[in-house]
Amino acid sequence: MIEQVEALLKRRIGLDAESIGRSAIEHAVRVRRVACGKASLADYIRHLEDSASEQQALVDTVVVPETWFFRAREAIDAMAGIVVDRRFRTGRPQRLLSLPCSTGEEPYSIAMALLDAGLAPEMFHIDGIDISARSLNAAAAAHYGRNAFRSDDLSFRDRWFEATPAGHQLIDRVRAQVRFAIGNLIDPLKTLAAGSYDIIFCRNVLIYFDPATQDHAVDMLTRLLVPDGLLFVGASEASLPLRRGYASMRIPMAAAFRKGGDVPDAALKPRSVKAKPRVGLPPRPVPARPAMAPAPIARPARVDPAPLLDEVQRLADLGRLDEALPLARDCLHKQGPSTRLFYLLGLLSDAAGDLQHATTYYRKALYLDPSHPEALAHLALLREKMGDKAGAGALRGRLNRRLVAG
Ligand SMILES: C[S@@+](CC[C@H](N)C(=O)[O-])C[C@H]1O[C@@H](n2cnc3c(N)ncnc32)[C@H](O)[C@@H]1O
């Protein structure tokens, strides 16, 4: 009988039940059935099918609203550089969309980054869209507890928030840049106009869809973008725009893609406005493999792990999982374990849908560095996807303690 609810959620919001696990759906249904005072599952399902407001309440209960400020620091830094360039090149305000925006941390982070980059408020507009009415209410209130502040650098909080006894209130200047509305990624043209966005952030939701729905959602976003518009997705979603005709912007860790065609060289070097200085990627890593006949004479020269790992990262950002995964395994074989390598292997396995290996690798990263924030955050999300809410909660507790400790 629970299959009926799964089918309804798939139809309505594109959710693939397997992505979060049947037990997570059963839990949400139990919560809603009790809230509605329905004695049996059959009674609840009858009510659910007839009531749009109950469908919304179930959606609010089942979605994963996990988000935080500057969750995607590299993507936001890259976006700020691109938006500044585009604003001056086109002479018109830039329009950005955060879909899904959850409780608002992502679109507000974009707004803070653009104001920090020196753009005047009238030079850009941001729409924040989500399927969850509950999350949108929180976004509009713009009052945040410590879970929203998990990034390493929290200096933005001093500039753009006022401390209150219960948390931090975002100031009006940032709030005014974002307009929130309910909307559905499966059917966004019902509420949004085609061809109206320069930049879309669609991060960390496509992982909850099956492949056909993922393709459909990316195609919908394509219709919302201007012809040379850019799409930013989550690190583990980077293969999806590529299979729908997007070109990678080749910006490390940003998972940024341009609608259609090849990316011209000039566009590959967006001016990075706030980005921390980065060490450039090595030209092309030389795999530490002997040419033809191995014949090791002496002890092999020590190989610096960083360039190979940078290459794994680069391939992962391009969505080239088929190349990134073997290279990462090769690194493990040749250079031995490291936290960063295990974390990357976790991300890659996650992106390839291999949740068991992803879990193992994140765990190994945490064995080497028990407070590695990204591994904690990703493993928590994975446990949640697999229906283990308690395990996810315990990991988030560790993450919070790590963040409070600084
Ligand atoms: C994990 S959050 C991601 C938030 C933010 N983009 C980030 O990366 O931090 C996923 C969000 O997707 C929303 N969502 C799920 N299905 C959706 C759909 N069909 N249309 C719009 N939003 C959806 C959920 O309500 C939830 O807020």
Side-chain angles (χ1 to χ4, degrees):
M1 212 177 255
I2 199 78
E3 293 85 355
Q4 270 171 270
V5 180
E6 290 176 359
L8 184 142
L9 287 169
K10 171 92 189 277
R11 245 185 357 260
R12 226 191 109 117
I13 65 166
L15 179 70
D16 174 18
E18 270 182 29
S19 72
I20 57 168
R22 172 165 285 184
S23 61
I25 294 185
E26 283 169 343
H27 174 75
V29 167
R30 203 160 40 246
V31 168
R32 288 307 312 157
R33 181 178 64 71
V34 171
C36 296
K38 299 290 175 196
S40 71
L41 181 58
D43 285 348
Y44 175 69
I45 290 177
R46 263 192 301 279
H47 171 57
L48 177 68
E49 279 172 348
D50 287 348
S51 162
S53 65
E54 181 49 34
Q55 290 179 16
Q56 182 64 51
L58 179 64
V59 166
D60 281 335
T61 311
V62 93
V63 290
V64 180
E66 188 68 9
T67 187
W68 58 93
F69 286 107
F70 290 95
R71 177 178 188 172
R73 169 67 71 176
E74 289 81 1
I76 288 179
D77 284 348
M79 173 282 306
I82 291 166
V83 169
V84 170
D85 280 349
R86 283 174 75 106
R87 161 69 184 86
F88 289 105
R89 197 161 34 81
T90 62
R92 61 172 175 77
Q94 294 292 293
R95 295 206 52 192
L96 297 99
L97 173 66
S98 164
L99 195 184
C101 64
S102 188
T103 39
E105 287 89 330
E106 181 178 277
Y108 287 141
S109 299
I110 294 173
M112 288 184 268
L114 292 177
L115 293 169
D116 274 338
L119 282 191
E122 64 279 8
M123 291 180 183
F124 67 95
H125 308 288
I126 305 168
D127 287 333
I129 304 289
D130 202 280
I131 197 79
S132 163
R134 186 191 290 169
S135 293
L136 289 167
N137 284 339
H143 189 268
Y144 294 96
R146 65 173 192 216
N147 250 351
F149 301 101
R150 302 188 212 171
S151 55
D152 286 338
D153 175 5
L154 291 179
S155 54
F156 67 90
R157 196 169 62 184
D158 301 331
R159 289 196 297 281
W160 301 112
F161 288 81
E162 277 160 11
T164 72
H168 285 83
Q169 179 69 50
L170 186 62
I171 64 170
D172 288 349
R173 181 154 176 245
V174 181
R175 293 173 73 180
Q177 293 301 129
V178 186
R179 200 177 51 171
F180 291 103
I182 201 156
N184 193 341
L185 177 53
I186 303 304
D187 198 5
L189 292 164
K190 261 194 180 154
T191 46
L192 305 170
S196 55
Y197 293 101
D198 296 282
I199 310 257
I200 297 180
F201 270 58
C202 179
R203 295 179 43 89
N204 304 308
V205 69
L206 297 167
I207 38 172
Y208 299 110
F209 298 165
D210 66 22
T213 313
Q214 288 171 334
D215 286 349
H216 168 78
V218 174
D219 292 350
M220 289 291 114
L221 297 172
T222 307
R223 295 183 62 187
L224 291 174
L225 280 170
V226 297
D228 62 345
L230 303 183
L231 174 62
F232 288 77
V233 295
S236 54
E237 298 160 337
S239 59
L240 308 180
L242 291 174
R243 73 177 189 225
R244 303 312 286 170
Y246 281 74
S248 170
M249 294 292 290
R250 290 181 250 155
I251 305 169
M253 309 277 294
F257 299 86
R258 205 193 65 164
K259 180 170 159 174
D262 290 332
V263 178
D265 276 351
L268 295 179
K269 298 183 189 79
R271 184 146 40 97
S272 183
V273 172
K274 269 283 293 171
K276 295 182 206 125
R278 263 177 238 293
V279 184
L281 284 178
R284 194 83 185 112
V286 184
R289 194 177 293 146
M292 288 288 283
I297 312 154
R299 202 184 298 175
R302 196 176 166 278
V303 184
D304 176 7
L308 269 184
L309 289 183
D310 283 345
E311 177 64 357
V312 171
Q313 181 87 62
R314 192 184 71 82
L315 291 169
D317 290 341
L318 290 171
R320 284 157 55 182
L321 303 183
D322 292 352
E323 295 162 70
L325 253 175
L327 185 61
R329 290 197 191 107
D330 203 33
C331 275
L332 187 58
H333 179 65
K334 293 212 172 86
Q335 301 176 344
S338 70
T339 311
R340 184 177 172 207
L341 177 55
F342 280 139
Y343 170 63
L344 281 171
L345 276 161
L347 269 186
L348 288 165
S349 308
D350 211 348
D354 181 352
L355 303 193
Q356 290 309 340
H357 276 105
T359 305
T360 306
Y361 286 128
Y362 289 142
R363 279 214 189 107
K364 287 186 175 182
L366 290 171
Y367 179 75
L368 296 180
D369 175 0
S371 59
H372 190 273
E374 287 85 4
L376 283 169
H378 279 275
L379 187 56
L381 201 59
L382 202 58
R383 304 268 21 138
E384 190 144 36
K385 255 201 273 181
M386 295 163 98
D388 175 9
K389 292 234 177 222
L395 287 159
R396 291 213 178 94
R398 275 171 68 184
L399 179 61
N400 285 337
R401 285 193 292 282
R402 148 75 173 81
L403 296 168
V404 169

